Amino acid sequence: MAKDGLVDKLRSLIRGSGERGALTPRLEEKLRAQLRECAEGQGGEVSARARAARLAETYAGLDDAGRRRFLKIIALEFGPDPEQVAGAHAAYQAAVGTPGQWNAESALRRAMRSSRIRILTQFNAIPQGVKFLVDLRADLLRFLEQDPDLAALDRELESRLSAWFDVGFLELHRLTWHSPAALLEKLIEYEAVHEIRSWTDLKNRLDSDRRLYAFFHPRMPDEPLIFVEVALTDHLAGNVQELLDEHAPVFDHRKADTAIFYSISNTQVGLRGVSFGNFLLKRVIDDLKRDFPRLSQFATLSPLPALAAWVRRNPAVLAEAGIELSLEALSTGTWAADKTLQRALRDPLQRLAARYLANAKQASGAPFDPVSRFHLGNGARVERLNYLADSSPKGFRQSFGMMVNYLYEFDDIERNLEAFASDGRIAMSAGVRRQARDK
């Protein structure tokens, strides 16, 4: 098969447009033989590339049950040899303190290196190989929930992807309305915070008072890994519908003194656990400061995506905050049409959100809210709560319309980060902290 044909076929299969079949016993035995060839590294580079391409094509053509079996074979049958590891470990223990210690250590390291790594690494050489591995891990994460036997393979693949997607290899690009249409379509597809409703909506987010930046990997030039949307303003924005209003006049970006990060979307499920969002923000801030020297304030307008989930686990917090409506009633948002209820719920909902950000924790002690974990872990401060800031159905469903501004104050970032990392201390403005304590 010609190289271009293979690329097209793999791309089509990886995206799921091809028919998928079962892993028959005969095909399974053939698959095992191909995996053994990969693990043993038979032949030269051309042979390895061809073998990996055949394996990728086989995998991409399987249904879910077949893919799960494929991954389980790699996980269970191509790990380190226990006898070799035991022998190498005994030799290392005997060599400690002798001139042969370092050779014994090297031998132990080789013994512990599983054939799974050799198999995975060979996919790197084929067209679309890196994307194939990222999508393969997305499958692996789905199957892992019901099949703990896949955990070792997941850890090894995550480790390899972390190395291959090190931030030093990533490229930051600003995307504009003039970027390739296929790339703009992916922004619409991948936007995870505030749905892009139309091409007009997207064009508004790419206007002169907006910026959109994305990280790319050289081996995946057509796939943004993560992207951030920025609004240039002269105030701390507190309502996302106003921010995304397609009919609002375009702000003169030359007068901007504030950059609002209002959406950050990870696009590749298979890169879960591979962290580069913090580097994206730092790079974007540097880029904005260079282009707009007047910018003095960098903040977010962020959702509270797990607030309703926390209330569901702790229903007593509603009454404690002075809220008489049920979780279900709050989540519909219909109460917001009643001006009397609007006024009555302002302080209680802000109190609830402040206590959530200040006190809601995971079992590990980390903040319950994933967006909060991200920004606090990068040294931001919880600056201000915004009532009825997101009146979309999703906004009411996940946080009763509440949103929050996180502020990146450069003189405080390192101090905030160190306090959060060392003892979990959350940086908060005096106003939000007072709301968290209010009776």
Side-chain angles (χ1 to χ4, degrees), residues 314-384:
N314 305 275
V317 298
L318 290 180
E320 291 169 2
I323 298 172
E324 297 180 1
L325 289 184
S326 68
L327 170 63
E328 290 70 24
L330 285 172
S331 299
T332 65
T334 54
W335 54 269
D338 185 322
K339 297 297 183 183
T340 302
L341 273 178
Q342 262 197 43
R343 289 191 293 272
L345 284 172
R346 174 183 289 274
D347 289 345
L349 276 176
Q350 289 188 325
R351 190 157 50 238
L352 176 73
R355 291 175 180 178
Y356 166 70
L357 290 173
N359 304 321
K361 299 287 193 293
Q362 295 182 317
S364 64
F368 189 81
D369 191 85
V371 175
S372 184
R373 288 197 300 273
F374 175 80
H375 289 297
L376 295 174
N378 284 309
R381 178 175 78 221
V382 180
E383 182 65 11
R384 190 181 72 183

Side-chain angles (χ1 to χ4, degrees), residues 141-212:
L141 289 169
R142 283 193 297 118
F143 303 145
L144 187 59
E145 295 177 5
Q146 289 83 36
D147 198 338
D149 286 341
L150 296 172
L153 177 60
D154 178 59
R155 283 193 292 269
E156 287 187 327
L157 183 51
E158 181 183 347
S159 175
R160 298 312 301 159
L161 291 173
S162 294
W164 295 333
F165 284 84
D166 181 272
V167 68
F169 299 138
L170 305 184
E171 300 169 352
L172 180 70
H173 295 299
R174 179 189 166 200
L175 304 184
T176 72
W177 184 244
H178 302 292
S179 296
L183 192 52
L184 297 181
E185 286 177 348
K186 287 178 180 173
L187 297 180
I188 296 175
E189 175 188 352
Y190 288 139
E191 165 60 60
V193 184
H194 303 294
E195 178 188 4
I196 299 175
R197 301 176 300 277
S198 65
W199 285 98
T200 304
D201 184 5
L202 178 60
K203 188 174 184 181
N204 180 55
R205 301 189 195 202
L206 299 172
D207 217 325
S208 60
D209 60 343
R210 305 298 167 94
R211 292 293 183 272
L212 192 151

Side-chain angles (χ1 to χ4, degrees), residues 68-190:
R68 181 171 171 176
R69 181 61 186 156
F70 180 111
L71 295 170
K72 197 159 184 173
I73 290 171
I74 299 177
L76 297 181
E77 300 181 22
F78 292 89
D81 184 321
E83 292 185 3
Q84 289 186 14
V85 173
H89 182 259
Y92 171 73
Q93 291 290 350
V96 171
T98 73
Q101 176 178 344
W102 311 121
N103 287 335
E105 180 184 319
S106 179
L108 176 59
R109 194 177 293 114
R110 284 197 303 274
M112 293 183 67
R113 180 179 168 86
S114 76
S115 298
R116 294 186 290 250
I117 292 293
R118 285 195 288 275
I119 293 169
L120 295 173
T121 301
Q122 289 188 35
F123 287 117
N124 234 340
I126 65 174
Q128 298 288 310
V130 174
K131 174 61 174 167
F132 171 80
L133 284 171
V134 170
D135 288 343
L136 181 145
R137 183 161 184 258
D139 286 343
L140 186 56
L141 289 169
R142 283 193 297 118
F143 303 145
L144 187 59
E145 295 177 5
Q146 289 83 36
D147 198 338
D149 286 341
L150 296 172
L153 177 60
D154 178 59
R155 283 193 292 269
E156 287 187 327
L157 183 51
E158 181 183 347
S159 175
R160 298 312 301 159
L161 291 173
S162 294
W164 295 333
F165 284 84
D166 181 272
V167 68
F169 299 138
L170 305 184
E171 300 169 352
L172 180 70
H173 295 299
R174 179 189 166 200
L175 304 184
T176 72
W177 184 244
H178 302 292
S179 296
L183 192 52
L184 297 181
E185 286 177 348
K186 287 178 180 173
L187 297 180
I188 296 175
E189 175 188 352
Y190 288 139

